Amino acid sequence: MLIHGIGGSWQIWAPVLRRLVTCRDVILVDLPGYGASARTVQGAGAPALADGLEGLLDSLRLETVHVAGNSMGGWIALELASRGRARTVTVLSPAGFYNAVEAVFTRISLQVSVRMARLLAPRAARVFASVLCRSVLFAQCMGRPWRLSTDEAAAITQAFAESPYFEADLAAITGNRFAGGADIRVPVTVGWGRRDRLLPPWQGRRAMREIPAARLVSLPGVGHIPTYDDPDLVADLLLRGSDRSVR
């Protein structure tokens, strides 16, 4: 199961799917209230959204799955693991490991990002036809934003702009921290992009202290949303992280 971050949709995983589907059955989700999914959960933030995914697993009659997530999706993946619903967990720059100052920075940065997305969305295809515009406007969340295509940049912007629960979930995740790492009994791989400018890589050390079962992997050359920066690197991490025989 692949879980996107706040303001995203399942499409953030598109660059790595070709590699994954050759050797894994893949469950792609739009979180409740994002993409094509209705808001079917009470409350906001990672635990509430994890409730929705637990309901999905129940409807699919799956007790556990290998789970991967990015940013807020990483926090949700860890929530599922703490509830005993994961076989393995692989997370990319998971939210929930910031200190008070970093949480304020993250909240303000993402508030600015969503407002800009809503302004740009009606003309996104024209704006992002320029490599320079893509490079500048996606510099905070990607290590190599110039690799985005015009269509990819426009789709990411549109998803952000059309996220009505963005503010509620943002307030919830930046007002709290992940807890429950001691309850996780399955292998956890934490990948952190060295060029992550939204959730800096040093937050990975806090994740290691919180989750005794975890191992930390530094990802060179990639940013907060690494699937577009280096699809092969991310696919390798996901495949290795979901192989329980490799530790």
Side-chain angles (χ1 to χ4, degrees):
M1 176 181 281
L2 300 176
I3 311 172
H4 64 80
I6 191 168
S9 68
W10 71 262
Q11 281 89 349
I12 73 147
W13 302 104
V16 302
L17 287 181
R18 180 182 57 81
R19 288 278 309 278
L20 298 185
V21 298
T22 61
C23 49
R24 298 285 190 275
D25 294 322
V26 178
I27 301 172
L28 291 164
V29 298
D30 281 339
L31 288 169
Y34 294 90
S37 290
R39 190 72 164 194
T40 55
V41 298
Q42 298 296 317
L49 293 167
D51 291 343
L53 294 189
E54 276 206 276
L56 173 62
L57 291 178
D58 291 343
S59 70
L60 295 173
R61 298 183 180 179
L62 294 171
E63 184 64 29
T64 61
V65 291
H66 300 284
V67 186
N70 175 222
S71 194
M72 182 179 75
W75 186 344
I76 295 167
L78 294 170
E79 286 285 338
L80 291 173
S82 72
R83 302 177 188 190
R85 303 305 299 264
R87 300 178 192 176
T88 63
V89 178
T90 307
V91 290
L92 306 170
S93 296
F97 298 100
Y98 18 63
N99 62 27
V101 173
E102 293 162 355
V104 171
F105 168 78
T106 300
R107 183 166 62 251
I108 292 172
S109 295
L110 288 174
Q111 285 171 339
V112 171
S113 295
V114 76
R115 289 170 187 168
M116 185 174 295
R118 288 167 181 165
L119 287 172
L120 292 176
R123 58 189 71 88
R126 184 167 68 253
V127 171
F128 294 122
S130 163
V131 174
L132 178 60
C133 287
R134 298 199 297 274
S135 298
V136 171
L137 293 173
F138 284 90
Q140 186 178 41
C141 62
M142 294 178 190
R144 298 162 177 158
W146 55 87
R147 293 189 175 182
L148 279 174
S149 70
T150 299
D151 289 344
E152 288 169 337
I156 293 168
T157 301
Q158 200 72 37
F160 250 65
E162 296 176 353
S163 299
Y165 298 94
F166 188 99
E167 284 83 0
D169 286 329
L170 179 61
I173 65 172
T174 55
N176 294 281
R177 308 291 182 271
F178 172 74
D183 297 326
I184 297 177
R185 297 288 185 265
V186 297
V188 176
T189 301
V190 180
W192 221 293
R194 293 182 191 172
R195 296 185 184 179
D196 193 330
R197 301 179 183 93
L198 182 65
L199 301 180
W202 60 75
Q203 293 181 14
R205 295 194 292 271
R206 297 186 195 127
M208 294 303 96
R209 291 194 292 269
E210 176 63 30
I211 310 168
R215 67 186 181 102
L216 180 63
V217 180
S218 180
L219 304 178
V222 304
H224 185 66
I225 305 175
T227 49
Y228 297 95
D229 288 328
D230 195 333
D232 286 335
L233 177 69
V234 174
D236 286 342
L237 186 76
L238 295 174
L239 291 171
R240 187 176 178 84
S242 58
D243 184 348
R244 297 185 68 160
S245 69
V246 179
R247 300 276 24 114

